[in-house]
Amino acid sequence: MSALLVDNIGELVTNGVGEGPLGIRRSAAVLIEEGRVAWVGPAAYAPAADRRIDAGGAAVLPGFVDSHAHLVFAGDRAAEFAARMAGEPYTGGGIRTTVGATRAATDEELRSTVRRLRGEALRQGTTTIEIKSGYGLNVADEARSLRIAAEFTEDTTFLGAHVVPAEYADRPDDYVGLVCGPMLAAAAPHAKWIDVFCERGAFDVDHARAILACGQAVGLGVRLHANQLGPGPGVRLGVELGAASVDHCTHLSDADVDALASTRIDCMCHEGQHTSTVATLLPGAEFSTRSPYPDARRLLDAGVTVALATDCNPGSSYTSSMPFCIALAVREMRMTPAEAVWAATAGGARALRRDDVGVLTPGARADLLVLDAPSYLHLAYRPGVPLIHQVIRNGVPQ
Ligand SMILES: [Zn+2]
């Protein structure tokens, strides 16, 4: 059996047993066997291995878990971004532009975009990524979007209810029927999750509830886009349905925060407790739409489990960089660097209900990042700098 030892780690973030909320160990080593973490401990006691990577005293942390990304699309919306920066508001209406381009693209064009963005994210340390459909919005194009997404990740999400496409603009009830009927039937074999954009101008709470319930009935897990552009019932709907995650959470009432906090459960995980519905914050969207950021402190202080993700998409957040999101969360949302790094690793894993990623403890998938820095603090302290020195995914150096 071939073993790989990552040795001479100055600061190891485990998100397990160790110092502080990140479970930090110093002068550590990690032994990898068959794609899994086999042993974690002091470098001085490291077992023998066939191969060795010398971290040179640098920081090592779990690979990032990006639990919210829209990678299956064609075209870009750089002109819309420029107009927005010149003062036009973001309404979500530009999604239809991408729908037109996506429907016109070949399978190979869509696949090569996903491959390019997946590679871009991996080089920046993302070792687990969720990928949504949502730019096909008809039976054939939603099904093929998910088929292509499934070539790149096991966390695929059916987002046929992204917006009502132009051809159904005056009969949204009919579109909801299509999503719940033939579109879901074609999408479900390729999807693990179902998602709805529950927002004024997209889907109201009754439509969202109906669509998510149909997905649950065929075994898909629930997540949703909620309370991004204004206050609304989306977050409470997510809690009502037992969603793994409600995403955006930019405009929250006290009742929304209380509802999230009420999902707190005891768990065998390192934290001992977390909320079964995670609040996933997507600061790249606020950055790219020049909007107020969500109040992360209010959620954290209420005991809500928070994840950070990129929302990578061509309209409102065209970044694949988790380090960028960490820097934004610290600078703009007043999360501590430790909270932000936890949210981008273990938090993302919670949002995807996975316990095999986001941690570096024995048995976990061997997804590790070696930084070009002595501490995880540098991820926020040195924004925009390529600090990901080496990525190991599934035990394989990339
Ligand atoms: Zn999104």
Side-chain angles (χ1 to χ4, degrees):
M1 183 165 51
S2 163
L4 170 64
L5 185 72
V6 183
D7 201 3
N8 195 14
I9 301 169
E11 178 188 272
L12 175 67
V13 172
T14 66
N15 289 333
V17 177
E19 160 198 325
L22 294 180
I24 288 178
R25 289 160 170 258
R26 309 210 180 261
S27 303
V30 176
L31 183 73
I32 297 166
E33 284 174 352
E34 296 185 335
R36 300 268 156 180
V37 174
W39 176 90
V40 177
Y45 299 103
D50 316 290
R51 290 171 300 146
R52 180 173 175 271
I53 288 176
D54 184 344
V60 169
L61 62 156
F64 299 125
V65 179
D66 186 352
S67 60
H68 185 137
H70 308 248
L71 304 189
V72 192
F73 63 86
D76 74 30
R77 279 150 57 195
E80 179 191 315
F81 174 77
R84 201 159 61 230
M85 291 305 104
E88 286 184 24
Y90 176 69
T91 60
I95 292 169
R96 291 199 180 100
T97 308
T98 302
V99 171
T102 303
R103 287 175 178 175
T106 65
D107 288 9
E108 196 42 46
E109 284 166 339
L110 295 179
R111 186 175 288 118
S112 81
T113 296
V114 179
R115 188 181 296 119
R116 174 175 62 81
L117 293 170
R118 180 71 195 83
E120 190 181 278
L122 185 65
R123 286 192 296 280
Q124 297 172 93
T126 299
T127 48
T128 301
I129 195 164
E130 180 256 22
I131 303 178
K132 301 175 194 296
S133 67
Y135 296 113
L137 308 190
N138 59 36
V139 173
D141 288 311
E142 281 297 304
R144 79 165 171 151
S145 295
L146 286 161
R147 217 169 42 236
I148 291 167
E151 295 172 17
F152 296 90
T153 186
E154 58 194 271
D155 282 295
T156 52
T157 300
F158 170 45
L159 181 58
H162 200 181
V163 290
V164 176
E167 63 272 25
Y168 281 90
D170 50 5
R171 44 194 185 108
D173 289 344
D174 290 354
Y175 186 66
V176 173
L178 178 72
V179 171
C180 289
M183 198 186 286
L184 176 63
H190 314 290
K192 182 168 171 182
W193 302 96
I194 186 163
D195 190 345
V196 172
F197 188 20
C198 182
E199 197 78 45
R200 190 167 301 159
F203 294 86
D204 67 24
V205 68
D206 294 328
H207 283 157
R209 183 185 285 108
I211 293 163
L212 294 170
C214 291
Q216 269 180 321
V218 298
L220 303 185
V222 169
R223 43 204 324 105
L224 72 161
H225 287 67
N227 301 55
Q228 177 189 3
L229 304 177
V235 164
R236 274 163 287 150
L237 175 66
V239 170
E240 173 193 320
L241 296 176
S245 178
V246 287
D247 296 26
H248 285 293
C249 293
T250 311
H251 297 271
L252 298 185
S253 66
D254 288 345
D256 297 328
V257 177
D258 290 347
L260 286 166
S262 77
T263 72
R264 210 161 168 79
I265 49 167
D266 291 320
C267 178
M268 297 295 283
C269 66
H270 176 61
E271 294 74 42
Q273 278 200 327
H274 58 87
T275 54
S276 67
T277 300
V278 172
T280 299
L281 308 182
L282 309 166
E286 279 75 35
F287 178 88
S288 301
T289 59
R290 196 177 275 141
S291 302
Y293 289 92
D295 190 345
R297 285 256 58 84
R298 184 181 177 205
L299 289 162
L300 290 163
D301 293 346
V304 176
T305 300
V306 169
L308 283 171
T310 62
D311 195 16
C312 184
N313 79 82
S316 59
S317 182
Y318 201 7
T319 180
S320 56
S321 172
M322 290 294 279
F324 176 63
C325 295
I326 289 169
L328 286 180
V330 172
R331 171 62 180 83
E332 303 294 335
M333 287 154 49
R334 295 180 168 72
M335 290 173 74
T336 66
E339 286 168 340
V341 165
W342 191 92
T345 51
R350 292 268 179 283
L352 294 173
R353 298 220 166 138
R354 292 183 61 156
D355 54 16
D356 59 330
V357 295
V359 294
L360 290 177
T361 51
R365 206 169 76 181
D367 294 346
L368 289 75
L369 311 179
V370 181
L371 297 190
D372 207 352
S375 169
Y376 73 87
L377 291 169
H378 285 231
L379 288 165
Y381 172 49
R382 306 199 64 213
V385 177
L387 293 179
I388 310 299
H389 176 71
Q390 178 153 36
V391 179
I392 298 170
R393 183 168 184 274
N394 258 330
V396 180
Q398 303 292 303

